[in-house]
Amino acid sequence: VRLAMTRVPGVALDHYLEQQRSLRQQEASAPSQPGLRRRRLAEAFQTACELVLQLTPVLGHIGRVAYHRDVNSHNILVDVGAPGERPLFGGVG
């Protein structure tokens, strides 16, 4: 069975996380700021919570109609939107 899919805008989750890591490393070379480490940790937890909250219904819906054996960070897309907005996560078949 062959499926044709429309190109969906977004960045693969693994690439998004790598970009975020690079940005954090650049920030680390900047002068120390009080509470920076705590703020980064809070942002990481918030992103993880958003990921779970947004993907759980998607994967639940897909699971009713299809079996996806390859859910990984490369086929989860992130729509980063405007600067300062929270990222939107979505699954790709």
Side-chain angles (χ1 to χ4, degrees), residues 25-72:
Q25 286 179 339
Q26 290 173 3
E27 288 177 358
S29 63
S32 180
Q33 300 174 13
L36 180 62
R37 186 174 185 165
R38 180 174 285 186
R39 200 166 43 251
R40 281 193 202 150
L41 188 58
E43 289 172 3
F45 281 124
Q46 184 64 40
T47 300
C49 287
E50 288 291 329
L51 176 66
V52 170
L53 289 173
Q54 291 181 32
L55 286 180
T56 299
V58 171
L59 295 175
H61 176 73
I62 291 171
R64 287 186 220 122
V65 295
Y67 174 72
H68 196 308
R69 62 183 177 88
D70 190 28
V71 175
N72 62 52

Side-chain angles (χ1 to χ4, degrees), residues 7-13 16 51 54-55 72-80 87-92:
R7 173 104 170 111
V8 179
V11 177
L13 179 60
Y16 171 77
L51 176 66
Q54 291 181 32
L55 286 180
N72 62 52
S73 62
H74 191 70
N75 56 27
I76 295 174
L77 293 181
V78 180
D79 180 5
V80 291
L88 298 174
F89 302 97
V92 178

